[in-house]
Amino acid sequence: KQTLLPLLREEASSFIFPCNLALQRPERQYMVLELLRCIPLLLFLVFVCGLDHFIFSILSIIQHHSFIEYSYQTSHHLSVNVMGASLMAELLRSTIGALNTSFDTEVETSNFACLPQPTGMTRQQYLNTCLPLGVLALLCLAQVYPFRLRRAIAAFYFPKREKTRVLFLYNKLLRQRRNFLYLQRGRVARRARQPPGPGTLLLQWCRRRWPWLRRCLRQRCTLCGTPETPRHQPCPNPDCSASYCESCW
C-alpha cells in the first residue's frame, strides 16, 4: 500500500471498487454490450406491435365500410272469379276457388356475419408485452453488482490462487509506474508538436488579457484532463501554456 497507493487517475479508471455504488468504467463497457444485445429484441417487439396495430386498423376499416344490408319485400295475390249461377258455375267456383291465395313477403338480411370482428390490444396488454424486455434491461443494469462478488467468492475457495493474482497485479503496477514518466513525457511531446487550434489561441489570449476570466475559462490538466484548481502547476517555460494537476506534476 505504501508503494502504490494512492492510485493515479489513469490507474484507478481500470479498476472496479466493490464499495462504490456508481457504475465504473469497466462495468459501463460491459453493460453497454449487454444493452446492445437487447436492441434486436426491442426492434422485433416494436415490429410485432406495429404489425398488430396495422392489421387491426385494416380489419376495422373493413368492418365499418363493408357493411351491406339487403331488404326484399313482395306481395302475391291470386283470385279466380267464376261468374254465373248454374250448377257448373257452382262446381267450378267450389273447386277452382281453392286456388285463391294472398300473401306478403318481407325479407331483411346483411353480411354482418361475414365481416371480421377485430379486437384491439389494450394499453395494459401492451404494457404486459413490453414488461419482460424492461425487466431484462434492468437486469443488465443491476448485474454489475453481483458480478463484483466473483473475486471474493473465488478468493474464499482458492486462497493460494488469490495470493498469486495479488502478486501479479502488484508487480504489474510497479512496472507501469516505472514506465509512467517515460510514456507521459512522450505524450506531452506529441501534443506540443500539434499546432494549437483557433479556439485554444483565443482562450489563451482572453486569459492573458483579462485575468479575472480564469475562474470561468478554466484550463485542464495536460495529462489527465482534470479542471484547473489553485493547486495546478503551470509549466515554468514562459512559451508553454500547459498546466498540470498536483499528482501529474
Side-chain angles (χ1 to χ4, degrees):
K1 292 182 178 179
Q2 296 179 358
T3 309
L4 294 175
L5 296 181
L7 294 175
L8 300 178
R9 180 168 181 173
E10 291 80 2
E11 297 173 344
S13 61
S14 61
F15 286 93
I16 298 176
F17 298 91
C19 298
N20 190 359
L21 296 179
L23 295 177
Q24 300 167 49
R25 182 177 179 181
E27 295 175 330
R28 287 197 298 267
Q29 296 176 354
Y30 185 78
M31 181 192 66
V32 169
L33 293 177
E34 293 294 330
L35 291 176
L36 289 178
R37 296 179 182 177
C38 298
I39 293 180
L41 296 177
L42 177 62
L43 295 178
F44 176 75
L45 183 61
V46 171
F47 171 75
V48 170
C49 293
L51 182 63
D52 172 78
H53 182 71
F54 174 75
I55 295 176
F56 168 74
S57 300
I58 294 297
L59 295 179
S60 180
I61 292 174
I62 294 175
Q63 179 189 14
H64 289 88
H65 297 278
S66 299
F67 178 74
I68 300 176
E69 186 176 8
Y70 302 91
S71 179
Y72 175 74
Q73 296 179 356
T74 182
S75 179
H76 181 74
H77 299 278
L78 177 62
S79 177
V80 179
N81 296 323
V82 180
M83 308 300 294
S86 62
L87 180 62
M88 193 62 178
E90 292 292 336
L91 179 61
L92 291 176
R93 191 178 293 114
S94 61
T95 54
I96 299 177
L99 299 176
N100 297 337
T101 57
S102 178
F103 63 88
D104 298 327
T105 303
E106 183 177 355
V107 179
E108 292 184 359
T109 183
S110 64
N111 63 343
F112 180 78
C114 303
L115 293 177
Q117 305 294 329
T119 302
M121 293 179 62
T122 62
R123 184 177 299 179
Q124 184 64 33
Q125 290 174 336
Y126 278 114
L127 181 61
N128 294 336
T129 305
C130 301
L131 185 61
L133 185 61
V135 173
L136 180 61
L138 290 178
L139 290 177
C140 293
L141 298 176
Q143 69 178 354
V144 296
Y145 299 105
F147 280 179
R148 294 180 182 179
L149 301 177
R150 292 180 297 181
R151 190 206 60 82
I153 297 174
F156 177 78
Y157 287 101
F158 304 99
K160 294 184 179 180
R161 173 62 64 178
E162 176 68 10
K163 183 178 180 180
T164 305
R165 295 178 70 250
V166 170
L167 290 176
F168 172 79
L169 179 61
Y170 177 76
N171 294 325
K172 178 183 177 182
L173 289 177
L174 286 180
R175 290 193 298 268
Q176 291 178 353
R177 288 286 179 88
R178 184 179 58 188
N179 299 328
F180 177 77
L181 181 61
Y182 174 78
L183 295 176
Q184 296 301 331
R185 280 182 175 178
R187 182 179 176 185
V188 173
R190 288 192 300 270
R191 286 190 176 184
R193 296 190 191 100
Q194 297 177 357
T200 305
L201 295 177
L202 179 62
L203 179 63
Q204 294 175 1
W205 182 82
C206 293
R207 287 170 58 88
R208 290 193 302 266
R209 180 71 176 178
W210 299 290
W212 55 272
L213 286 178
R214 295 182 178 181
R215 296 181 179 180
C216 304
L217 303 177
R218 294 191 301 173
Q219 286 185 330
R220 291 183 175 271
C221 177
T222 307
L223 296 180
C224 62
T226 55
E228 185 181 14
T229 61
R231 295 184 179 182
H232 274 56
Q233 296 290 337
C235 181
N237 187 355
D239 298 332
C240 181
S241 59
S243 178
Y244 302 92
C245 64
E246 187 177 9
S247 60
C248 294
W249 179 254

